[in-house]
Every structure is written in C-alpha cells, then in structure tokens.
Amino acid sequence: QVQLVESGGGLVQPGGSLRLSCAASGRIDSFTYMTMSWYRQAPGSRRDMVASISSRNYTYYTASVKGRFTISRDNAKKIMYLQMDGLNPEDTAVYYCRHEASGTWGQGTQVTVSS
C-alpha cells in the first residue's frame, strides 16, 4: 500500500510562490512508473485536478494554472513537486496529491493566497 504525505503549503501574498512536495512511501514497486497528480479543493467546491505527471513525464495542467504551475518528480527520492508561481487568491485551497492507479490520497496541505 502506498502512503503519500504533502508538505510546503502556507500563507503567501498575491504574486508569490510556493513549492509543494508529495513524498511517497510504503509498498512501491517503482515510483518511476506511477502516474501522480495534484488536486485542490476550495471551501464549498469539489476537488479538481490541477496537474498530473505520467511515468514518461508527460504533464497535464488545468487551464487556470497553465504557465504558472510546474509539476515535476524526483524518482530517486520518490517525491513529486508542484512549483506554484504567480499565485492569486483564487488558488487558495487545500492541495492533495494522488497516486492514480491505487486511488491513494495524501492528507492535504493548505495554501492561502492573501494580502
């Protein structure tokens, strides 16, 4: 079974940056072959995918973050990242990472963009 732990959230001013991390542990045959994704959920809203990265490093971004967020992975460390630049208040949410094949979620990390 895979366990996921997010970190790196916090309070940032509009226009600022944060880097989220998602560390994987547990029964992982190979992190390299895992398609991993970031989702976010704002209060009163559904949880939506923000970005995803495949085993071949193909990436997907939802339209609202394209050009501002960058998803990446370090297979040796079994960590996935989300570099978030140009943050705005609409990015405020709890951010979750997910291992798509197993449907495993992390516990989430709060990102708040406010002046």
Side-chain angles (χ1 to χ4, degrees), residues 60-98:
Y60 159 84
Y61 298 95
T62 194
S64 62
V65 308
K66 199 171 294 186
R68 300 188 298 123
F69 291 10
T70 304
I71 190 170
S72 62
R73 62 196 300 162
D74 184 329
N75 290 328
K77 295 182 178 178
K78 300 181 183 178
I79 299 177
M80 176 179 66
Y81 301 100
L82 186 67
Q83 176 67 40
M84 305 187 295
D85 299 317
L87 286 162
N88 58 60
E90 290 70 38
D91 296 315
T92 295
V94 178
Y95 284 70
Y96 300 87
C97 64
R98 175 182 164 100

Side-chain angles (χ1 to χ4, degrees), residues 3-24:
Q3 289 86 45
L4 303 174
V5 178
E6 301 98 333
S7 61
L11 172 64
V12 63
Q13 293 186 342
S17 299
L18 283 174
R19 188 176 80 157
L20 306 183
S21 298
C22 172

Side-chain angles (χ1 to χ4, degrees), residues 18-81:
L18 283 174
R19 188 176 80 157
L20 306 183
S21 298
C22 172
S25 62
R27 296 186 62 183
I28 303 174
D29 292 333
S30 178
F31 181 78
T32 303
Y33 299 110
M34 294 166 60
T35 294
M36 301 288 295
S37 302
W38 286 100
Y39 290 73
R40 66 185 179 186
Q41 187 169 21
S45 299
R46 67 181 186 184
R47 191 176 299 186
D48 290 325
M49 182 182 286
V50 175
S52 186
I53 186 165
S54 75
S55 60
R56 296 186 177 186
N57 285 334
Y58 295 140
T59 57
Y60 159 84
Y61 298 95
T62 194
S64 62
V65 308
K66 199 171 294 186
R68 300 188 298 123
F69 291 10
T70 304
I71 190 170
S72 62
R73 62 196 300 162
D74 184 329
N75 290 328
K77 295 182 178 178
K78 300 181 183 178
I79 299 177
M80 176 179 66
Y81 301 100

